[in-house]
Short mmCIF file of all heavy atoms in Angstrom, two decimals:
data_model
loop_
_atom_site.label_atom_id
_atom_site.label_comp_id
_atom_site.label_asym_id
_atom_site.label_seq_id
_atom_site.Cartn_x
_atom_site.Cartn_y
_atom_site.Cartn_z
N LYS G 31 112.75 123.06 98.86
CA LYS G 31 112.60 122.32 100.14
C LYS G 31 113.09 120.88 99.93
O LYS G 31 112.85 120.30 98.86
CB LYS G 31 111.14 122.28 100.59
CG LYS G 31 110.66 123.66 101.12
CD LYS G 31 109.14 123.56 101.53
CE LYS G 31 108.74 124.81 102.22
NZ LYS G 31 108.92 124.75 103.65
N TYR G 32 113.82 120.42 100.91
CA TYR G 32 114.35 119.02 100.85
C TYR G 32 113.76 118.23 102.00
O TYR G 32 113.59 118.76 103.09
CB TYR G 32 115.86 119.09 100.97
CG TYR G 32 116.57 119.95 100.00
CD1 TYR G 32 117.17 121.18 100.37
CD2 TYR G 32 116.65 119.61 98.66
CE1 TYR G 32 117.80 122.02 99.49
CE2 TYR G 32 117.26 120.48 97.73
CZ TYR G 32 117.88 121.67 98.14
OH TYR G 32 118.45 122.46 97.25
N PHE G 33 113.53 116.97 101.71
CA PHE G 33 112.91 116.15 102.75
C PHE G 33 113.60 114.78 102.87
O PHE G 33 114.25 114.30 101.88
CB PHE G 33 111.42 115.85 102.43
CG PHE G 33 110.61 117.07 102.53
CD1 PHE G 33 110.39 117.88 101.43
CD2 PHE G 33 110.07 117.44 103.71
CE1 PHE G 33 109.62 119.01 101.47
CE2 PHE G 33 109.35 118.67 103.83
CZ PHE G 33 109.12 119.41 102.73
N GLY G 34 113.46 114.12 104.00
CA GLY G 34 113.93 112.72 104.22
C GLY G 34 115.37 112.55 103.79
O GLY G 34 116.28 113.36 104.19
N GLN G 35 115.60 111.52 102.95
CA GLN G 35 117.00 111.18 102.65
C GLN G 35 117.61 112.23 101.70
O GLN G 35 118.82 112.33 101.56
CB GLN G 35 117.12 109.82 101.99
CG GLN G 35 116.26 109.53 100.82
CD GLN G 35 116.40 108.10 100.36
OE1 GLN G 35 117.51 107.69 100.05
NE2 GLN G 35 115.31 107.39 100.29
N ILE G 36 116.81 113.07 101.07
CA ILE G 36 117.28 114.13 100.23
C ILE G 36 117.93 115.20 101.14
O ILE G 36 118.98 115.69 100.88
CB ILE G 36 116.19 114.74 99.32
CG1 ILE G 36 115.56 113.68 98.43
CG2 ILE G 36 116.74 115.88 98.47
CD1 ILE G 36 116.40 113.05 97.40
N ALA G 37 117.18 115.57 102.20
CA ALA G 37 117.66 116.53 103.13
C ALA G 37 118.96 116.02 103.85
O ALA G 37 119.83 116.81 104.24
CB ALA G 37 116.58 116.85 104.17
N GLU G 38 119.02 114.71 103.99
CA GLU G 38 120.23 114.12 104.58
C GLU G 38 121.46 114.42 103.75
O GLU G 38 122.57 114.64 104.23
CB GLU G 38 119.99 112.61 104.72
CG GLU G 38 120.95 111.91 105.70
CD GLU G 38 120.45 110.45 105.89
OE1 GLU G 38 120.34 109.75 104.88
OE2 GLU G 38 120.28 110.13 107.05
N GLU G 43 117.17 121.78 105.12
CA GLU G 43 115.81 121.43 104.82
C GLU G 43 115.23 122.37 103.77
O GLU G 43 114.27 122.09 103.12
CB GLU G 43 114.93 121.44 106.07
CG GLU G 43 115.34 120.26 106.94
CD GLU G 43 114.51 120.14 108.24
OE1 GLU G 43 113.87 121.14 108.63
OE2 GLU G 43 114.60 119.13 108.92
N LYS G 71 119.94 109.46 93.69
CA LYS G 71 118.76 109.34 94.58
C LYS G 71 117.50 109.44 93.76
O LYS G 71 117.36 110.17 92.78
CB LYS G 71 118.79 110.40 95.60
CG LYS G 71 119.95 110.38 96.59
CD LYS G 71 119.76 109.24 97.58
CE LYS G 71 121.00 109.31 98.55
NZ LYS G 71 120.89 108.13 99.40
N ASP G 72 116.44 108.66 94.26
CA ASP G 72 115.22 108.73 93.65
C ASP G 72 114.33 109.75 94.30
O ASP G 72 114.25 109.77 95.50
CB ASP G 72 114.58 107.28 93.97
CG ASP G 72 113.21 107.10 93.29
OD1 ASP G 72 112.84 107.92 92.38
OD2 ASP G 72 112.49 106.16 93.72
N GLN G 74 110.72 112.69 93.55
CA GLN G 74 109.76 113.39 92.71
C GLN G 74 109.89 114.89 92.99
O GLN G 74 110.44 115.24 94.05
CB GLN G 74 108.32 112.86 93.07
CG GLN G 74 108.07 111.44 92.83
CD GLN G 74 106.64 111.07 93.11
OE1 GLN G 74 105.85 111.13 92.14
NE2 GLN G 74 106.34 110.61 94.23
N ILE G 75 109.32 115.63 92.12
CA ILE G 75 109.46 117.11 92.31
C ILE G 75 108.00 117.72 92.45
O ILE G 75 107.11 117.40 91.63
CB ILE G 75 110.16 117.77 91.07
CG1 ILE G 75 111.47 117.09 90.91
CG2 ILE G 75 110.28 119.23 91.29
CD1 ILE G 75 111.94 117.06 89.51
N ALA G 76 107.80 118.58 93.45
CA ALA G 76 106.52 119.27 93.57
C ALA G 76 106.79 120.73 93.40
O ALA G 76 107.80 121.31 93.84
CB ALA G 76 105.93 118.98 94.91
N GLN G 77 105.91 121.39 92.67
CA GLN G 77 105.93 122.86 92.54
C GLN G 77 104.60 123.35 93.14
O GLN G 77 103.52 122.96 92.72
CB GLN G 77 106.03 123.22 91.07
CG GLN G 77 105.82 124.69 90.84
CD GLN G 77 106.31 125.14 89.44
OE1 GLN G 77 107.38 125.75 89.32
NE2 GLN G 77 105.57 124.81 88.37
N ASN G 78 104.77 124.26 94.12
CA ASN G 78 103.55 124.76 94.80
C ASN G 78 102.65 123.64 95.29
O ASN G 78 101.46 123.66 95.11
CB ASN G 78 102.77 125.76 93.98
CG ASN G 78 103.61 127.08 93.77
OD1 ASN G 78 104.61 127.27 94.48
ND2 ASN G 78 103.18 127.87 92.83
N GLN G 79 103.27 122.61 95.78
CA GLN G 79 102.57 121.39 96.41
C GLN G 79 101.90 120.53 95.41
O GLN G 79 101.06 119.70 95.81
CB GLN G 79 101.64 121.90 97.46
CG GLN G 79 102.37 122.70 98.61
CD GLN G 79 101.42 123.25 99.62
OE1 GLN G 79 100.28 122.82 99.74
NE2 GLN G 79 101.92 124.28 100.32
N GLU G 80 102.15 120.63 94.11
CA GLU G 80 101.66 119.67 93.15
C GLU G 80 102.84 119.02 92.41
O GLU G 80 103.81 119.67 92.08
CB GLU G 80 100.84 120.41 92.07
CG GLU G 80 99.47 120.88 92.60
CD GLU G 80 98.54 119.76 93.01
OE1 GLU G 80 98.55 118.68 92.46
OE2 GLU G 80 97.63 119.99 93.84
N LEU G 81 102.74 117.71 92.13
CA LEU G 81 103.80 116.99 91.49
C LEU G 81 103.95 117.51 90.04
O LEU G 81 102.94 117.79 89.37
CB LEU G 81 103.57 115.47 91.44
CG LEU G 81 103.62 114.78 92.84
CD1 LEU G 81 103.36 113.32 92.66
CD2 LEU G 81 104.93 114.99 93.54
N GLU G 92 107.80 127.84 95.26
CA GLU G 92 108.21 126.75 96.21
C GLU G 92 108.34 125.47 95.42
O GLU G 92 107.36 124.91 94.95
CB GLU G 92 107.18 126.62 97.33
CG GLU G 92 107.70 125.67 98.41
CD GLU G 92 106.77 125.64 99.66
OE1 GLU G 92 106.76 126.67 100.32
OE2 GLU G 92 106.07 124.61 99.89
N ILE G 93 109.56 124.95 95.42
CA ILE G 93 109.82 123.67 94.71
C ILE G 93 110.31 122.75 95.77
O ILE G 93 111.14 123.09 96.61
CB ILE G 93 110.93 123.84 93.65
CG1 ILE G 93 110.72 125.01 92.72
CG2 ILE G 93 111.21 122.55 92.93
CD1 ILE G 93 109.72 124.79 91.60
N ALA G 94 109.82 121.48 95.77
CA ALA G 94 110.25 120.53 96.83
C ALA G 94 110.72 119.23 96.13
O ALA G 94 110.18 118.77 95.14
CB ALA G 94 109.06 120.22 97.78
N LEU G 95 111.80 118.69 96.74
CA LEU G 95 112.32 117.38 96.26
C LEU G 95 111.88 116.36 97.24
O LEU G 95 112.23 116.36 98.40
CB LEU G 95 113.84 117.50 96.15
CG LEU G 95 114.48 117.93 94.84
CD1 LEU G 95 113.98 119.30 94.46
CD2 LEU G 95 115.99 117.86 94.88
N LEU G 96 111.02 115.46 96.73
CA LEU G 96 110.39 114.43 97.59
C LEU G 96 110.90 113.03 97.37
O LEU G 96 110.65 112.45 96.32
CB LEU G 96 108.93 114.51 97.35
CG LEU G 96 108.26 115.85 97.41
CD1 LEU G 96 106.79 115.72 96.98
CD2 LEU G 96 108.36 116.45 98.80
N PRO G 97 111.53 112.42 98.34
CA PRO G 97 112.01 111.08 98.20
C PRO G 97 110.79 110.11 98.29
O PRO G 97 109.67 110.58 98.50
CB PRO G 97 112.95 110.89 99.38
CG PRO G 97 112.47 111.83 100.40
CD PRO G 97 111.97 113.01 99.63
N PRO G 98 111.00 108.83 98.07
CA PRO G 98 109.85 107.87 98.07
C PRO G 98 109.01 108.03 99.32
O PRO G 98 109.57 108.21 100.42
CB PRO G 98 110.51 106.52 98.03
CG PRO G 98 111.79 106.75 97.30
CD PRO G 98 112.27 108.13 97.74
N PHE G 99 107.66 107.93 99.11
CA PHE G 99 106.74 108.14 100.25
C PHE G 99 106.73 106.90 101.11
O PHE G 99 106.84 105.81 100.72
CB PHE G 99 105.35 108.37 99.74
CG PHE G 99 105.20 109.61 98.84
CD1 PHE G 99 104.05 109.87 98.07
CD2 PHE G 99 106.22 110.63 98.85
CE1 PHE G 99 103.94 111.02 97.32
CE2 PHE G 99 106.09 111.77 98.05
CZ PHE G 99 104.93 111.91 97.28
N ALA G 100 106.52 107.10 102.43
CA ALA G 100 106.55 106.05 103.37
C ALA G 100 105.51 106.16 104.44
O ALA G 100 105.65 105.72 105.57
CB ALA G 100 107.97 105.95 104.01
N GLY G 101 104.40 106.80 104.10
CA GLY G 101 103.31 107.01 105.13
C GLY G 101 102.61 105.75 105.50
O GLY G 101 102.66 104.77 104.75
N GLY G 102 102.07 105.74 106.71
CA GLY G 102 101.29 104.57 107.12
C GLY G 102 102.06 103.54 107.85
O GLY G 102 103.26 103.61 107.97
N PHE L 44 91.33 101.22 110.46
CA PHE L 44 92.65 100.74 110.03
C PHE L 44 93.68 101.33 111.01
O PHE L 44 93.71 102.52 111.21
CB PHE L 44 93.01 101.13 108.63
CG PHE L 44 94.36 100.67 108.20
CD1 PHE L 44 94.60 99.34 107.72
CD2 PHE L 44 95.53 101.48 108.39
CE1 PHE L 44 95.86 98.93 107.32
CE2 PHE L 44 96.74 101.02 108.02
CZ PHE L 44 96.97 99.74 107.49
N GLY L 46 97.74 101.41 111.41
CA GLY L 46 99.16 101.08 110.96
C GLY L 46 100.04 100.96 112.14
O GLY L 46 100.05 101.91 112.99
N TYR L 63 109.06 109.77 111.68
CA TYR L 63 108.31 110.33 110.53
C TYR L 63 108.51 111.78 110.37
O TYR L 63 108.48 112.53 111.34
CB TYR L 63 106.80 110.06 110.70
CG TYR L 63 106.47 108.61 110.50
CD1 TYR L 63 106.20 107.74 111.55
CD2 TYR L 63 106.36 108.05 109.20
CE1 TYR L 63 105.84 106.42 111.38
CE2 TYR L 63 106.03 106.74 108.96
CZ TYR L 63 105.76 105.96 110.07
OH TYR L 63 105.41 104.64 109.86
N THR L 64 108.69 112.22 109.06
CA THR L 64 108.61 113.66 108.71
C THR L 64 107.69 113.76 107.56
O THR L 64 107.35 112.78 106.95
CB THR L 64 110.02 114.17 108.35
OG1 THR L 64 110.56 113.38 107.27
CG2 THR L 64 110.95 114.27 109.50
N ALA L 65 107.28 114.96 107.25
CA ALA L 65 106.39 115.14 106.07
C ALA L 65 106.49 116.50 105.50
O ALA L 65 107.02 117.46 106.14
CB ALA L 65 104.96 114.99 106.60
N TYR L 66 106.15 116.66 104.26
CA TYR L 66 105.94 118.00 103.63
C TYR L 66 104.56 118.32 104.06
O TYR L 66 103.56 118.03 103.41
CB TYR L 66 106.09 117.79 102.13
CG TYR L 66 105.98 119.07 101.28
CD1 TYR L 66 105.99 120.41 101.88
CD2 TYR L 66 106.01 118.99 99.91
CE1 TYR L 66 105.92 121.50 101.07
CE2 TYR L 66 105.94 120.11 99.09
CZ TYR L 66 105.94 121.36 99.66
OH TYR L 66 105.89 122.48 98.87
N GLU L 67 104.41 118.99 105.24
CA GLU L 67 103.13 119.02 105.96
C GLU L 67 102.04 119.73 105.18
O GLU L 67 100.88 119.18 105.19
CB GLU L 67 103.32 119.68 107.35
CG GLU L 67 104.05 118.71 108.32
CD GLU L 67 104.15 119.33 109.70
OE1 GLU L 67 103.07 119.68 110.28
OE2 GLU L 67 105.25 119.46 110.25
N ASP L 68 102.35 120.80 104.58
CA ASP L 68 101.26 121.55 103.88
C ASP L 68 100.72 120.75 102.71
O ASP L 68 99.52 120.61 102.54
CB ASP L 68 101.79 122.91 103.37
CG ASP L 68 102.06 123.87 104.48
OD1 ASP L 68 101.55 123.61 105.61
OD2 ASP L 68 102.74 124.91 104.24
N MET L 69 101.62 120.16 101.93
CA MET L 69 101.20 119.35 100.79
C MET L 69 100.52 118.13 101.30
O MET L 69 99.48 117.66 100.73
CB MET L 69 102.44 119.02 99.89
CG MET L 69 102.04 118.12 98.71
SD MET L 69 103.50 117.83 97.63
CE MET L 69 102.83 116.51 96.57
N ALA L 72 97.07 118.83 102.39
CA ALA L 72 96.27 119.05 101.17
C ALA L 72 95.86 117.67 100.50
O ALA L 72 94.72 117.50 100.06
CB ALA L 72 96.92 119.96 100.22
N LYS L 73 96.82 116.78 100.42
CA LYS L 73 96.57 115.45 99.82
C LYS L 73 95.56 114.70 100.70
O LYS L 73 94.64 114.04 100.11
CB LYS L 73 97.84 114.70 99.67
CG LYS L 73 98.75 115.22 98.61
CD LYS L 73 98.21 114.80 97.22
CE LYS L 73 98.94 115.53 96.13
NZ LYS L 73 98.22 115.52 94.87
N GLU L 76 92.27 115.94 99.83
CA GLU L 76 91.77 115.47 98.49
C GLU L 76 91.25 113.99 98.69
O GLU L 76 90.23 113.67 98.08
CB GLU L 76 92.95 115.41 97.48
CG GLU L 76 93.22 116.72 96.81
CD GLU L 76 94.44 116.67 95.90
OE1 GLU L 76 94.71 115.57 95.30
OE2 GLU L 76 95.10 117.66 95.75
N HIS L 94 97.81 110.79 111.45
CA HIS L 94 99.10 110.15 111.09
C HIS L 94 100.16 110.77 112.06
O HIS L 94 100.11 111.99 112.38
CB HIS L 94 99.50 110.46 109.69
CG HIS L 94 100.58 109.58 109.14
ND1 HIS L 94 101.86 109.59 109.66
CD2 HIS L 94 100.62 108.60 108.19
CE1 HIS L 94 102.61 108.68 109.02
NE2 HIS L 94 101.85 108.09 108.14
N CYS L 105 100.98 104.26 114.15
CA CYS L 105 101.40 105.45 113.44
C CYS L 105 100.32 106.03 112.44
O CYS L 105 100.47 107.10 111.98
CB CYS L 105 102.70 105.22 112.67
SG CYS L 105 102.52 103.87 111.54
N LEU L 106 99.35 105.22 112.20
CA LEU L 106 98.25 105.67 111.26
C LEU L 106 96.92 105.15 111.83
O LEU L 106 96.82 103.95 112.10
CB LEU L 106 98.51 105.14 109.86
CG LEU L 106 97.35 105.39 108.85
CD1 LEU L 106 97.07 106.87 108.65
CD2 LEU L 106 97.70 104.70 107.49
N ILE L 129 96.55 106.91 100.78
CA ILE L 129 97.51 107.51 101.73
C ILE L 129 98.93 107.03 101.40
O ILE L 129 99.87 107.77 101.31
CB ILE L 129 97.16 107.22 103.16
CG1 ILE L 129 95.81 107.99 103.52
CG2 ILE L 129 98.23 107.63 104.15
CD1 ILE L 129 95.25 107.58 104.83
N LYS L 130 99.04 105.69 101.26
CA LYS L 130 100.37 105.06 101.01
C LYS L 130 100.98 105.62 99.74
O LYS L 130 102.22 105.83 99.64
CB LYS L 130 100.20 103.54 100.93
CG LYS L 130 99.72 102.89 102.20
CD LYS L 130 100.86 102.28 102.95
CE LYS L 130 100.39 101.66 104.27
NZ LYS L 130 101.51 101.28 105.08
N ALA L 131 100.10 105.81 98.69
CA ALA L 131 100.66 106.16 97.38
C ALA L 131 100.93 107.65 97.16
O ALA L 131 101.86 108.06 96.52
CB ALA L 131 99.74 105.67 96.28
N ASP L 132 100.03 108.47 97.76
CA ASP L 132 99.98 109.91 97.31
C ASP L 132 100.42 110.99 98.32
O ASP L 132 100.59 112.10 97.99
CB ASP L 132 98.52 110.28 96.94
CG ASP L 132 98.06 109.37 95.78
OD1 ASP L 132 98.87 108.88 95.06
OD2 ASP L 132 96.85 109.22 95.65
N VAL L 133 100.66 110.57 99.57
CA VAL L 133 100.93 111.55 100.64
C VAL L 133 102.44 111.64 100.92
O VAL L 133 103.06 110.66 101.24
CB VAL L 133 100.11 111.34 101.86
CG1 VAL L 133 100.40 112.35 102.94
CG2 VAL L 133 98.62 111.17 101.60
N PRO L 134 102.99 112.87 100.82
CA PRO L 134 104.42 112.99 101.06
C PRO L 134 104.82 112.93 102.55
O PRO L 134 105.03 113.94 103.21
CB PRO L 134 104.80 114.40 100.43
CG PRO L 134 103.52 115.11 100.45
CD PRO L 134 102.42 114.09 100.41
N VAL L 135 104.86 111.68 103.00
CA VAL L 135 105.32 111.37 104.36
C VAL L 135 106.58 110.55 104.20
O VAL L 135 106.59 109.68 103.34
CB VAL L 135 104.27 110.66 105.18
CG1 VAL L 135 104.80 110.16 106.50
CG2 VAL L 135 103.08 111.57 105.42
N PHE L 136 107.58 110.79 105.06
CA PHE L 136 108.88 110.12 104.95
C PHE L 136 109.21 109.35 106.22
O PHE L 136 108.91 109.92 107.29
CB PHE L 136 109.97 111.09 104.52
CG PHE L 136 109.49 111.98 103.42
CD1 PHE L 136 109.13 113.30 103.72
CD2 PHE L 136 109.33 111.51 102.13
CE1 PHE L 136 108.62 114.07 102.66
CE2 PHE L 136 108.80 112.33 101.11
CZ PHE L 136 108.46 113.65 101.38
N GLY L 137 109.77 108.22 106.18
CA GLY L 137 110.03 107.45 107.38
C GLY L 137 111.49 106.96 107.42
O GLY L 137 111.98 106.32 106.54
N LYS L 138 112.13 107.30 108.55
CA LYS L 138 113.51 106.92 108.80
C LYS L 138 113.44 105.74 109.72
O LYS L 138 112.98 105.88 110.89
CB LYS L 138 114.25 108.09 109.44
CG LYS L 138 115.69 107.94 109.59
CD LYS L 138 116.19 109.23 110.19
CE LYS L 138 117.72 109.29 110.30
NZ LYS L 138 118.17 110.62 110.90
N HIS L 146 120.48 103.75 110.57
CA HIS L 146 119.21 103.86 110.04
C HIS L 146 119.13 103.60 108.48
O HIS L 146 120.17 103.53 107.80
CB HIS L 146 118.63 105.26 110.29
CG HIS L 146 119.32 106.33 109.40
ND1 HIS L 146 120.43 106.97 109.94
CD2 HIS L 146 119.08 106.83 108.19
CE1 HIS L 146 120.80 107.87 108.93
NE2 HIS L 146 120.02 107.77 107.95
N TRP L 148 116.10 104.37 105.06
CA TRP L 148 114.82 105.07 104.69
C TRP L 148 113.77 104.11 104.20
O TRP L 148 114.03 103.34 103.30
CB TRP L 148 115.11 106.16 103.70
CG TRP L 148 115.99 107.26 104.29
CD1 TRP L 148 117.37 107.33 104.32
CD2 TRP L 148 115.50 108.38 105.10
NE1 TRP L 148 117.72 108.43 105.03
CE2 TRP L 148 116.63 109.10 105.47
CE3 TRP L 148 114.24 108.82 105.42
CZ2 TRP L 148 116.51 110.22 106.26
CZ3 TRP L 148 114.12 110.01 106.17
CH2 TRP L 148 115.25 110.69 106.63
N LYS L 149 112.63 104.20 104.83
CA LYS L 149 111.48 103.32 104.50
C LYS L 149 110.92 103.77 103.11
O LYS L 149 110.87 104.92 102.84
CB LYS L 149 110.43 103.49 105.60
CG LYS L 149 109.18 102.64 105.39
CD LYS L 149 108.27 102.81 106.58
CE LYS L 149 106.97 102.03 106.40
NZ LYS L 149 105.79 102.82 106.03
N VAL L 150 110.54 102.78 102.34
CA VAL L 150 109.84 103.01 101.08
C VAL L 150 108.56 102.17 101.04
O VAL L 150 108.64 100.98 101.31
CB VAL L 150 110.70 102.62 99.86
CG1 VAL L 150 109.93 102.86 98.55
CG2 VAL L 150 112.01 103.42 99.82
N ASN L 151 107.42 102.76 100.75
CA ASN L 151 106.20 101.97 100.70
C ASN L 151 106.22 101.08 99.46
O ASN L 151 106.61 101.48 98.36
CB ASN L 151 104.98 102.92 100.63
CG ASN L 151 104.58 103.41 101.97
OD1 ASN L 151 105.04 102.92 102.99
ND2 ASN L 151 103.70 104.43 102.06
#
Side-chain angles (χ1 to χ4, degrees):
Chain G
K31 289 178 172 271
Y32 306 109
F33 293 93
Q35 56 183 304
I36 303 296
E38 196 171 55
E43 290 180 348
K71 297 283 182 189
D72 182 18
Q74 299 186 87
I75 304 149
Q77 170 162 256
N78 292 346
Q79 301 176 18
E80 289 292 335
L81 293 179
E92 186 171 293
I93 310 282
L95 270 58
L96 309 174
F99 299 167
Chain L
F44 178 86
Y63 286 103
T64 54
Y66 184 7
E67 287 185 53
D68 291 344
M69 179 175 169
K73 286 285 166 197
E76 277 176 32
H94 198 296
C105 56
L106 171 63
I129 292 170
K130 297 256 177 191
D132 300 337
V133 181
V135 171
F136 315 103
K138 189 179 184 178
H146 71 268
W148 291 91
K149 179 176 179 257
V150 176
N151 278 347

